[in-house]
Amino acid sequence: MERKVRVRFAPSPTGALHIGGVRTALYNYLFARQHGGDMLLRIEDTDSARFVPGAEEYIIEALQWLGIGIDEGIGCQPAEGSTREWEQPKEGLPMQAGPHGPYRQSERREIYHQYVDQLLNSGHAYIAFDSPEELEAKRNEISNFQYDARTRTQMVNSLTLSKEEVEARIARGDKYVVRFKIEPNEDVHVHDLIRGEVVINSNILDDKVLYKSADDLPTYHLANIVDDHLMEVTHVIRGEEWLPSAPLHVLLYRAFGWEDTMPQFAHLPLLLKPDGNGKLSKRDGDRLGFPVFPLEFHNQKDGTISSGYRESGYLPEAVINFLALLGWHAASDQEIFSMQELIEQFSLDRVSKSGAKFDYEKGKWFNHQYLQNYTGEQLLPQFLAAVPAEHKEAVLKKGENVIAHVIDLMKERVNFVPELWEQAAFFFVAPAEYDEKSLKKRWKEESPAHMRELYTLLEGINEWNAETLDKIVMDWIAQKEYGVGLVMNAFRITLVGAARGPHIWEITNVLGKEETLRRLHTAIERLA
């Protein structure tokens, strides 16, 4: 029988969520939504040494900002009135909800114990007492040492010790691990929905550690298999870096007798550096000036702050659209997709096998496209946040309607809302200096005289609107035979401080008569 599609995103709370992880979450979400399935968020926190406070909350906030919905697990609110014990919030951590909880691996210790015992009892795993020093000595003794069928009989484990000695060691508190027993020279078949049939011989696999007595926690390999099975996950969509582990996971499913319900695998291509040489890292972002995390992250362990897409002025829709096309292509040449369009068109058979170059300039282009869909009123809070404190009063004095109108006039010229202030500041603050290049090219010997005449002309106009100003000024220029470009370019410099900006009458409308004349007079005095 066909099962309901269930996918999971299972990050570790070891720091900020990398943009590659965000893409993995997005592809899982799109796949689940397209098939009417569920998206789970599970926190794989078995590596207690690398745990970073605040990372779990950061992951949830990032997914919420991007619109990647969670149906079950961490960050999913339970039904109103629910009293399930595992749905109560753990102190200082987000809520979790769903019928397969808890969803933090650190809270599932007792669950894993029974499956460790099952593998030991069935002979698929064994206990190993080798100390770090003994393991290092063996590595020095044997070139390319691997703990496997060829070497396990030389080590200190339950395969070489008597049952009584194993029990005695455990009773006195000796540290140990449980290793999976890989049978040699077996071809392991992994069917990957992106890469097809992958065959790996078991001789290259080592006897992976599944459990450590030191912290009473399983490793990723055991916990992830047990959790996926118990949470009824049907498809595991994860990064390419996990492909080498897939044969081990297939063998674990077989050892537990779960082959019939084993999820289908899909290993996504890597996100590569902009030049294509290697995996994208935070250092690439720092070096080239773009974020590699969805939100700004304040690391409570080392005090470092990493930039984020949200704080850099990106819109969530733009980030989603950009990421979706890094490794997946549509059937058409369409580039702009809403989330609903992505859900309808996404398919794993259109996901590339090869890595995707991270073209951060294309990300800016996407943000520019989406920015145009927002009204000035919608962008007002972000714009005001970017206004320097010393100019905030002058801006607010114009009123929200005028500010929103200015944003609408200028948004076509920027990729990000914070850039608007640099482009639009002249609407609110008179130029303190004049651009030398603009003066050299546009301000001529006769410009001061023209501007004095223009001042007198504008001073006498009572009906201050674009249509009236345009007609009167253009008639005057034609009558004087001055040349439109000569006059209007100089006029623009007096108002803006440079040869840029929208239509001149849009500027005068916002400035008003009094401010326009004031700037014109100041420029005449300073530039004459």
Side-chain angles (χ1 to χ4, degrees), residues 3 11 14 56 126 178 230 268 279 298 351 384 388 403 418 429:
R3 296 187 292 163
T14 55
E56 185 178 310
Y126 59 94
V178 173
L230 296 180
L268 306 175
K279 186 177 178 181
H298 296 245
V351 173
L384 290 175
I403 302 170
V429 181

Side-chain angles (χ1 to χ4, degrees), residues 24-54:
T24 297
L26 172 62
Y27 282 11
N28 273 279
Y29 175 76
L30 296 177
F31 186 83
R33 287 292 180 268
Q34 186 182 76
H35 293 88
D38 293 331
M39 169 81 164
L40 288 72
L41 177 61
R42 187 172 73 221
I43 298 296
E44 301 197 338
D45 57 349
T46 55
D47 191 347
S48 52
R50 296 177 61 212
F51 174 78
V52 173

Side-chain angles (χ1 to χ4, degrees), residues 111-136:
I111 295 173
Y112 302 129
H113 286 166
Q114 68 181 87
Y115 292 101
V116 171
D117 291 342
Q118 181 179 329
L119 291 176
L120 288 170
N121 294 334
S122 66
H124 288 102
Y126 59 94
I127 294 171
F129 296 97
D130 312 280
S131 68
E133 294 76 20
E134 288 169 328
L135 289 169
E136 185 60 31

Side-chain angles (χ1 to χ4, degrees), residues 65-66 309-310 312-321 363 366-374 379 382 415-417:
W65 176 65
L66 290 164
Y309 276 85
R310 182 178 64 183
S312 297
Y314 283 83
L315 300 167
E317 309 97 306
V319 178
I320 288 292
N321 201 152
F366 274 111
N367 206 69
H368 176 82
Q369 303 306 311
Y370 278 93
L371 188 61
Q372 309 317 307
N373 296 330
Y374 278 68
L379 297 173
Q382 292 181 60
N415 292 322
F416 306 103
V417 175

